[in-house]
Amino acid sequence: MDFQRQHHGKVFLLLLLIILSFLVGCSRGSSSPSEDPSDLSKMTEISSDVIIITAASGGFVTHDEATIEFPAAVLPADTLIKVSKVYVSESEQDESLIDLTGAYVISTTSSPQTIQLAGSATLKMKVNPAGLDETTIRIVVWDGYEWNEVRCEYDSTLKVISTTTETVMPYGTRIYLANPEVSSNKEREGGEQIVSEFVAVKVVGETQGGAAEENAVPVNVLRAGADTVAPGRAVYVKSPQGKFTVDYKQVKDPVQAAALQKKAEAVAGYMDNAYEQIIKGMGLKEPALGSGYGKSGTWTVSLTTMSGDHGSVDIETGEICLNIKDEIGDGLSHTCHHEFTHMIQFKTLKEAKNEVDDSLDWFNETMADAVGWYALYGRGTVYCAAGESMGYFDERLDADKKTPKSNNNQYEYKHFPFISYLLATYKEAPFKKFFETWYSYAGSQISMNTIDSAATREGSLGKAITGRDGIFWDFYRDYFISGTVFNREKFKNLPDRDSGKPYDIKEDEKEKQGVTIVEIGSNVSYQKEFTIQRLAGQVLILKYKGSSPLDITVKAISAPGQSAGHIQLNAFKRVGGILQPPGDVEEVSDGATKTKEYTGVGGDIHDIYLLMVNTSWKADDYKVTVVVTEKQ
């Protein structure tokens, strides 16, 4: 699925993008933010303690029920850390929840910028659970509109609940500043002083005999296992390698709960494989880890209900969302690999000081699909499994949702075989160089105008993609004619094609391949003008279907002034019903008329493929007229 781009016209919403990293799941629910900052809930500081924590030795700050602990070497410098007890106005919560602590804000008075830690700091809060169901105790974070549960651990012996964070925000962050990370201690009307509009934490629980008693479970000591979590609560599964945290909401039915846990564990394994194959194997850039309360330095993956989509990744928080209804198997695994590739693309753009909007939709999706299959099935062996997604080569390679003349709103996913071809032909290191070079160009320079310069850069593909004999032509001809890359050993959706033999297109496949099939028999008379868009092609297949061999004449007329067009006639014989390797090949020059006579069609020749490819990156509407008649 595409990146989730977020465009906001109101300044105050900028801060939402920062604090989303503190939330469990993929959205904040149904709450709608006010457009007037003065209407948002306010935080008033009640009391506080401030201590300087040295970077070398670390330390802790305690204020009332809250303690924040910093290990040695996690802070970038000696830092003043402040723990504030606050009052949060207009912060309603579920009536079944009871506050076990006050609300607290952890901040710094040393820096006007958010501090990124080298590891995790631990927030601990002491509670008195008397009269409460201890399985319901959890830490929640206020995001300005609602309280959200975060991953935490509860020690039922010490009566202490804890969570971790990898960031510390500046004290006094004000929502309506142009730069939301600039610190300010100014007062608003009424004398309220803003501590932090969003990052307040507290502990809540439910009474015994309340909503949780009906589904009573053992005391939740670690708040991580699905068997200890009440329905409606968040469940967290950490991947075997510890790099991903998969979360979902617990359900009441024990069979469904077990199935959800199994799915989360499968997703955790899929994500670990994505990391191993794409980061460690292919050497692509490692995305930034998640940060915020409960993140524990992992990438977050949430199983949630999605409308029509299989997955998405939030470009600001780096959180992946997967459709909770998708079943365990290759489809779900591919979505995991696909979305993780998007995170890598964003990391590459960000390092070059580019935005996601500077990138190209078609390349984002084709690369994510191709790399996803490549990593899923094993690098260097099987490159993709596409089924009905293979082809639509009559659509532009660089087509996206905004492309005019498109008749397929999913085409940015359809052309991933081109990226698979690059990986198969040029291997991982040159592809990596090509991708990272192209996506490191400045902003608007990431375009089709620069694709060849990236492809020909030293260490990259070593050949232009566009042009009459460029990589796009090589790809197109291999797919339909030569089959040295596209064959059943490498592509699961081409099970009937032997290496080195032409692709025998069936009647029911022709539409998705951009193919026109014409049956050839006695008295054949056929004429058609084909129009080909840039970096696209069409194939006319003349397929013998008669009672006795015949002679035909094929005339291909190339419109003048289209030097980027590449037209080629290929004639094949069938042995035992199987097309043989390429035989007779004829080229058609730009602006020329090529007349070719074929003798014994139905005997020595059975199929004639006319490839018409527009290899230009900028010129549409390349015209080719084809006339086929029986030779008299």
Side-chain angles (χ1 to χ4, degrees), residues 496-515:
D496 300 324
R497 185 179 188 180
D498 292 331
S499 178
K501 293 184 179 179
Y503 189 16
D504 191 5
I505 305 295
K506 305 297 191 296
E507 182 72 26
D508 59 354
E509 297 175 338
K510 64 180 183 180
E511 181 180 355
K512 67 187 178 194
Q513 306 294 344
V515 168

Side-chain angles (χ1 to χ4, degrees), residues 432-549:
K432 174 179 181 288
K433 180 69 173 180
F434 161 65
F435 156 61
E436 292 182 351
T437 297
W438 200 22
Y439 268 39
S440 295
Y441 288 154
S444 61
Q445 294 183 33
I446 304 174
S447 68
M448 297 306 293
N449 190 36
T450 58
I451 192 172
D452 286 338
S453 62
T456 54
R457 180 71 64 87
E458 183 178 355
S460 184
L461 306 179
K463 185 176 182 179
I465 286 174
T466 70
R468 193 173 190 277
D469 295 306
I471 294 175
F472 184 75
W473 164 256
D474 296 341
F475 152 76
Y476 205 87
R477 190 175 193 278
D478 189 280
Y479 185 85
F480 287 101
I481 306 298
S482 58
T484 56
V485 174
F486 291 94
N487 58 69
R488 66 185 177 189
E489 284 76 33
K490 295 178 180 176
F491 283 79
K492 285 196 168 184
N493 61 317
L494 300 173
D496 300 324
R497 185 179 188 180
D498 292 331
S499 178
K501 293 184 179 179
Y503 189 16
D504 191 5
I505 305 295
K506 305 297 191 296
E507 182 72 26
D508 59 354
E509 297 175 338
K510 64 180 183 180
E511 181 180 355
K512 67 187 178 194
Q513 306 294 344
V515 168
T516 300
I517 297 177
V518 176
E519 293 182 346
I520 300 299
S522 60
N523 299 317
V524 62
S525 179
Y526 174 82
Q527 179 171 332
K528 181 178 179 179
E529 182 184 70
F530 293 85
T531 301
I532 301 107
Q533 304 307 309
R534 61 182 180 268
L535 286 180
Q538 295 189 50
V539 180
L540 173 64
I541 298 179
L542 305 177
K543 190 180 292 288
Y544 172 73
K545 190 170 185 179
S547 56
S548 59

Side-chain angles (χ1 to χ4, degrees), residues 24 149-152 223-225 234-238 245-248:
V24 173
E149 182 178 355
V150 297
R151 184 176 182 177
C152 52
R223 286 291 299 113
V235 179
Y236 305 89
V237 174
K238 207 163 190 178
T245 299
V246 183
D247 66 63
Y248 62 92

